[in-house]
Amino acid sequence: MTSDPRRKSALHNRRALSSPDVSIRELPFQGKLVLRGDAYRISAAVHTAISIDLPRSVKGTATAGGITAIWLAPDEWWLIVPPGEELALKSKLEIALFGTPSLVTDVTDYYTTIALEGTKARELLMKLTTIDMHPRAFKIGDAVSSNFGRAVAVLRQTRDDVGRQGPAFEILIRISMADYLWCVLAEAGHEWGLPIETPKGQVKQHLPHFDGH
């Protein structure tokens, strides 16, 4: 349970960082399930159970009832839910898919989520990934797995670029790489006012260098 005082998130020792142009913070204990199976065989049962049509294409997502499905491969999806709701969702899916070749795995405690937002958030990401981050190529609702520095993570855009606040993104990252990615994001955002953070047990020069160009 998230109320257990002994439970600590991957980035519990990091405070949120913000400037007028960009900010990063952890979203601790966000529920995460991996769903595997043949799309044509499991889609109807999944829709009946949780009212979501599984996305079928690269960058595809679907959201209903507080659950977001992210396409990762033709036979693999992530399901993202609020903290504490993952076990109920897992049980509901396993009941709906009983007898159908499939697998539902709770990976909540293997990954954490970093929220990135602000008017310079998109430019910051352009420093870290080979994804085409132009607003016409990657927009609200899109999600994809890619490299960010030396880390592999799933990026999802959760707010569009219209408005004074700028776009917002969520980055789902394995906990073993979370502190590294946090520091890389801070380094990439330094030109917009984020402080440089040093990885636990490492030195700054192990991070990629960004000169702002």
Side-chain angles (χ1 to χ4, degrees), residues 81-94:
V81 296
E85 297 185 11
E86 61 274 5
L87 294 182
L89 176 60
K90 183 175 186 289
S91 178
K92 184 180 292 187
L93 286 169
E94 288 176 338

Side-chain angles (χ1 to χ4, degrees), residues 53-75:
D53 292 318
L54 292 174
R56 303 287 188 92
S57 60
V58 176
K59 296 193 292 186
T61 65
T63 300
I67 305 169
T68 296
I70 299 174
W71 184 97
L72 286 185
D75 63 349

Side-chain angles (χ1 to χ4, degrees), residues 21 32 42 47 52 75 83 107 162 191 194 199 209:
D21 299 311
K32 308 168 194 72
I42 69 173
H47 184 271
I52 281 184
D75 63 349
V107 296
V162 178
E191 68 169 296
L194 294 187
H209 176 69

Side-chain angles (χ1 to χ4, degrees), residues 70-119:
I70 299 174
W71 184 97
L72 286 185
D75 63 349
E76 182 177 358
W77 299 263
W78 273 23
L79 302 176
I80 311 301
V81 296
E85 297 185 11
E86 61 274 5
L87 294 182
L89 176 60
K90 183 175 186 289
S91 178
K92 184 180 292 187
L93 286 169
E94 288 176 338
I95 292 171
L97 293 166
F98 182 77
T100 303
S102 59
L103 180 66
V104 184
T105 306
D106 180 6
V107 296
T108 299
D109 290 333
Y110 293 91
Y111 292 84
T112 192
T113 304
I114 298 174
L116 166 69
E117 59 183 44
T119 56

Side-chain angles (χ1 to χ4, degrees), residues 97-166:
L97 293 166
F98 182 77
T100 303
S102 59
L103 180 66
V104 184
T105 306
D106 180 6
V107 296
T108 299
D109 290 333
Y110 293 91
Y111 292 84
T112 192
T113 304
I114 298 174
L116 166 69
E117 59 183 44
T119 56
K120 296 299 183 180
R122 189 178 294 275
E123 290 182 49
L124 187 156
L125 288 169
M126 288 177 181
K127 297 182 179 184
L128 301 179
T129 182
T130 57
I131 300 170
D132 184 351
M133 290 303 303
H134 191 281
R136 289 195 300 267
F138 199 92
K139 52 190 181 299
I140 186 170
D142 286 352
V144 70
S145 176
S146 186
N147 288 336
F148 297 84
R150 298 175 183 172
V152 177
V154 175
L155 175 70
R156 176 166 72 108
Q157 184 168 346
T158 57
R159 187 175 71 211
D160 64 27
D161 294 65
V162 178
R164 297 175 60 183
Q165 292 181 310

